[in-house]
């Protein structure tokens, strides 16, 4: 990854290149690693689900991320997730019923896609003998790290959160699992800057997606998508963009699969920002920042960040998981956009919540940040960028139970609650609200109401 070409050993603990300062990338010598030449190899593991490494939806693909010795791999059963066709969401988005697939990463043990990356970063931390691991988080990363620490008892978790910037569902997980929780005055961007300083000062292993091993684990989301489609490459992958770890990992996954010869074409990639935190959209679509053969013109980024500072603009969206203005994986994401002929869009909180309710109608459901992918797909179909008969996979990154406050405010009849939680963010209506029916505690009235409404 570093444009300077410096390399470091797999047993070193670093997140950035000492020479040029850019993030590091895990590079394999495929001639030496000799990955399988056919997907059958992975399918054969389905019959061996009694083995933890075959059961894991991450480590089932060990041969495509062979950075650690097999006997030090850590798993807590992550990656048992589902790719589901969704006729309802397809209709909403404007695609043929059979052409929209939702990849439910909320089904992971801690409730989000983070467990894919955590299994890998945690494995690396374990191989180098780390005893403490830290992250900054808006919720999901911290819940995931705290869970891996608690289940394996291998490390102590230290988590950094911005005050008032974490959902209770997630904070309650970290507290229950015994993580040391540092609440700092500031938002995610502040917490991220601090955790980097603290972990380098105290030698604590950092598991945010600046950690290249996180991205190795997150590649497996795409392996599972392909697996579910019986190894047919879809036309589009649509993913929300926050710190841009997923989009970067997906691009790397497809580039490697192509290099190895397991696929002959890559899908297109759409990364969806919330409009209140749309750095990637601004830089890629408006200011035309490009990967440029590994030499992106970062003065474009720096000028934008200076403007953000001068105008004291902070990220702001109901989709708390992507409320990030300084995405740490920006450069790697530019590479992914290049590999996958990508596009970036921004969607409003209104679009996000409407899309979220449509996903929920189909069952399983997702948190607001995840629904950005479906809202983004709808937009791209309406623009004619995605064709109605193309096959589209939207990644639903987190579980519906993460953010009940937003969901309840959307469905409420209480105007005050709606205004407080959503109106303040520019959300004007809840077109798909499913309002609770208030009835007196009388049998006759209850029966009448049920007959009226069902
Ligand atoms: N979706 C969910 C549910 C998330 O939790 C996050 C990030 C993202 C999307 C953004 O993903 O960084 O790969 O672009 N959550 C972080 C956290 C910030 O602390 O849990 P990305």
């Amino acid at each position: 990854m570093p444009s300077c070409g410096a390399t470091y050993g797999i047993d070193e603990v670093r997140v950035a290149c000492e020479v040029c300062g850019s993030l590091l990338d895990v590079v394999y010598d495929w001639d030496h690693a000799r990955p399988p030449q056919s997907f059958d190899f992975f399918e054969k593991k389905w019959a061996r689900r009694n083995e933890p490494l075959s059961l894991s939806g991450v480590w089932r693909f060990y041969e495509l991320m062979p950075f650690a010795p097999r006997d030090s791999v850590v798993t807590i059963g992550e990656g048992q997730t589902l790719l589901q066709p969704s006729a309802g969401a397809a209709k909403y988005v404007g695609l043929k019923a059979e052409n929209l697939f939702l990849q439910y990463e909320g089904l992971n043990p801690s409730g989000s896609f983070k467990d894919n990356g955590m299994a890998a970063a945690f494995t690396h931390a374990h191989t180098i003998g780390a005893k403490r691991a830290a992250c900054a988080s808006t919720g999901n990363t911290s819940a995931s790290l705290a869970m891996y620490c608690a289940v394996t008892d291998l490390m102590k978790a230290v988590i950094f959160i911005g005050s008032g910037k974490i959902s209770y569902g997630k904070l309650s997980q970290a507290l229950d699992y015994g993580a040391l929780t540092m609440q700092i005055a500031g938002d995610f961007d502040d917490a991220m800057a601090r955790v980097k300083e603290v972990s380098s000062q105290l030698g604590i292993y950092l598991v945010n997606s600046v950690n290249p091993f996180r991205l190795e684990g997150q590649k497996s989301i795409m392996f599972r998508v392909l697996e579910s489609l019986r190894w047919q490459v879809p036309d589009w992958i649509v993913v929300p963009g926050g710190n841009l770890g997923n989009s970067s990992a997906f691009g790397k996954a497809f580039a490697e699969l192509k290099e190895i010869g397991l696929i002959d074409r890559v899908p297109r990639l759409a990364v969806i920002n919330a409009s209140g935190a749309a750095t990637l959209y601004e830089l890629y679509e408006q200011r035309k920042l490009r990967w440029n053969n590994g030499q992106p013109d970062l003065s474009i980024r720096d000028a934008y960040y200076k403007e953000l500072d001068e105008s004291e603009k902070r990220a702001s969206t109901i989709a708390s998981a992507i409320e990030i203005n300084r995405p740490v994986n920006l450069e790697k994401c530019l590479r992914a956009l290049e590999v996958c002929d990508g596009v970036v869009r921004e969607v409003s909180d209104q679009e996000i919540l409407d899309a979220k309710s449509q996903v929920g109608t189909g069952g399983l459901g997702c948190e607001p940040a995840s629904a950005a992918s479906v809202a983004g797909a709808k937009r791209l179909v309406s623009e004619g960028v995605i064709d109605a008969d193309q096959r589209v996979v939207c990644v639903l990154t987190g579980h519906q139970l993460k953010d009940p406050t937003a969901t309840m405010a959307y469905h409420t009849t209480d105007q005050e609650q709606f205004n407080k939680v959503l109106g303040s963010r520019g959300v004007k209506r809840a077109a798909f609200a499913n309002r609770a029916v208030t009835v007196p505690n009388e049998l006759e009235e209850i029966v009448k109401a049920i007959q009226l409404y069902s």
Side-chain angles (χ1 to χ4, degrees):
M1 171 76 185
S3 37
C4 68
T7 58
Y8 300 95
I10 204 82
D11 51 352
E12 293 183 48
V13 181
R14 292 172 192 278
V15 289
C17 173
E18 216 167 63
V19 186
C20 70
S22 69
L23 295 186
L24 299 173
D25 209 21
V26 179
V27 181
Y28 300 100
D29 174 358
W30 293 118
D31 288 340
H32 185 244
R34 301 231 244 123
Q37 286 309 294
S38 121
F39 284 118
D40 287 354
F41 177 87
F42 301 106
E43 291 198 1
K44 293 220 170 78
K45 296 194 190 188
W46 296 349
R48 304 205 310 266
R49 288 169 69 83
N50 57 318
E51 296 168 10
L53 264 59
S54 295
L55 176 75
S56 165
V58 174
W59 298 116
R60 181 154 77 246
F61 301 99
Y62 173 87
E63 289 75 12
L64 300 174
M65 49 182 98
F67 63 83
R70 243 173 242 272
D71 56 7
S72 48
V73 164
V74 178
T75 176
I76 63 166
E78 57 287 318
Q80 311 297 317
T81 64
L82 180 69
L83 182 78
Q84 204 186 39
S86 173
K91 187 164 177 240
Y92 178 68
V93 164
L95 289 168
K96 280 197 189 143
E98 65 279 13
N99 277 359
L100 182 69
F101 297 83
L102 303 175
Q103 174 69 13
Y104 280 99
E105 287 302 311
L107 301 182
N108 273 291
S110 78
S112 83
F113 79 87
K114 301 286 179 179
D115 296 347
N116 295 286
M118 202 56 71
F122 206 83
T123 290
H124 183 249
H126 179 47
T127 60
I128 57 100
K131 289 288 162 248
R132 284 186 296 190
C135 68
S137 184
T138 59
N140 284 321
T141 310
S142 58
S144 182
L145 173 62
M147 184 178 259
Y148 274 80
C149 287
V151 175
T152 65
D153 207 17
L154 289 171
M155 273 165 248
K156 174 86 188 162
V158 184
I159 66 168
F160 282 63
I161 56 174
S163 52
K165 291 285 182 187
I166 185 166
S167 78
Y168 266 22
K170 287 287 142 180
L171 184 55
S172 64
Q173 283 182 284
L175 294 175
D176 240 13
Y177 306 149
L180 172 61
T181 304
M182 313 294 291
Q183 189 158 353
I184 66 161
D187 62 9
F188 177 83
D189 291 321
D190 297 317
M192 189 67 231
R194 284 290 175 226
V195 78
K196 279 196 206 163
E197 290 167 1
V198 171
S199 38
S200 101
Q201 191 172 329
L202 296 178
I204 303 178
Y205 191 91
L206 184 61
V207 299
N208 279 103
S209 58
V210 286
N211 180 317
F213 298 99
R214 273 275 309 275
L215 273 50
E216 289 308 293
Q218 284 166 220
K219 291 189 311 192
S220 69
I221 302 170
M222 290 301 108
F223 302 152
R224 293 196 298 276
V225 164
L226 292 181
E227 183 181 55
S228 301
L229 293 173
R230 303 315 304 266
W231 314 113
Q232 285 176 8
V233 180
D235 296 304
W236 285 91
I237 301 291
V238 190
V239 63
N243 251 336
L244 308 179
N246 270 333
S247 41
S248 301
F250 297 173
K252 188 171 189 282
F254 289 118
E256 289 176 349
L257 287 177
K258 190 142 183 270
E259 186 191 338
I260 296 168
L262 281 171
I263 56 174
D264 52 15
R265 70 175 182 95
V266 298
R268 293 191 70 187
L269 179 68
V271 185
I272 313 298
N273 278 160
S275 36
T279 294
L280 183 67
Y281 174 73
E282 175 66 28
L283 295 180
Y284 185 78
E285 297 289 352
Q286 307 291 356
R287 305 190 188 200
K288 307 293 175 203
L289 177 59
R290 288 291 182 274
W291 171 241
N292 190 27
N293 283 322
Q295 305 288 337
D297 179 359
L298 294 179
S299 67
I300 300 178
R301 173 198 68 184
D302 296 341
Y304 179 62
Y305 285 177
K306 198 156 165 257
E307 284 170 37
L308 287 179
D309 284 340
E310 281 166 5
S311 59
E312 294 184 13
K313 197 171 162 201
R314 289 285 175 176
S316 175
T317 165
I318 192 81
S320 55
I322 53 173
E323 194 176 46
I324 296 171
N325 260 348
R326 285 172 160 71
V328 295
N329 285 298
L330 176 65
E331 287 169 74
K332 288 183 183 177
C333 179
L334 292 174
R335 180 178 62 183
L337 289 165
E338 175 81 21
V339 168
C340 297
D341 188 15
V343 298
V344 183
R345 289 294 181 271
E346 56 168 0
V347 289
S348 67
D349 284 4
Q350 177 80 58
E351 290 169 278
I352 287 174
L353 289 174
D354 287 341
K356 179 177 145 356
S357 83
Q358 290 298 289
V359 173
T361 307
L364 295 172
C366 67
E367 67 168 276
S370 312
S373 61
V374 175
K378 181 173 168 62
R379 204 169 250 235
L380 287 163
V381 170
S382 74
E383 287 174 12
V385 177
I386 295 181
D387 212 65
D389 49 45
Q390 286 186 310
R391 277 181 128 190
V392 179
V393 173
C394 289
V395 182
L396 300 180
T397 45
H399 199 281
Q400 190 245 356
L401 291 178
K402 173 176 175 191
D403 213 342
T405 315
T407 309
M408 288 308 295
Y410 188 84
H411 292 294
T412 189
T413 45
D414 178 349
Q415 194 61 35
E416 212 174 299
Q417 191 194 357
F418 180 90
N419 287 342
K420 191 168 150 233
V421 181
L422 304 179
S424 58
R425 296 189 174 276
V427 179
K428 295 210 162 55
R429 59 194 179 275
F432 307 104
N434 176 21
R435 311 214 190 282
V437 180
T438 315
V439 279
N441 186 14
E442 281 165 33
L443 185 59
E444 206 179 308
E445 293 294 325
I446 296 172
V447 169
K448 237 197 263 166
I450 293 176
Q451 279 167 339
L452 182 65
Y453 290 110
S454 65

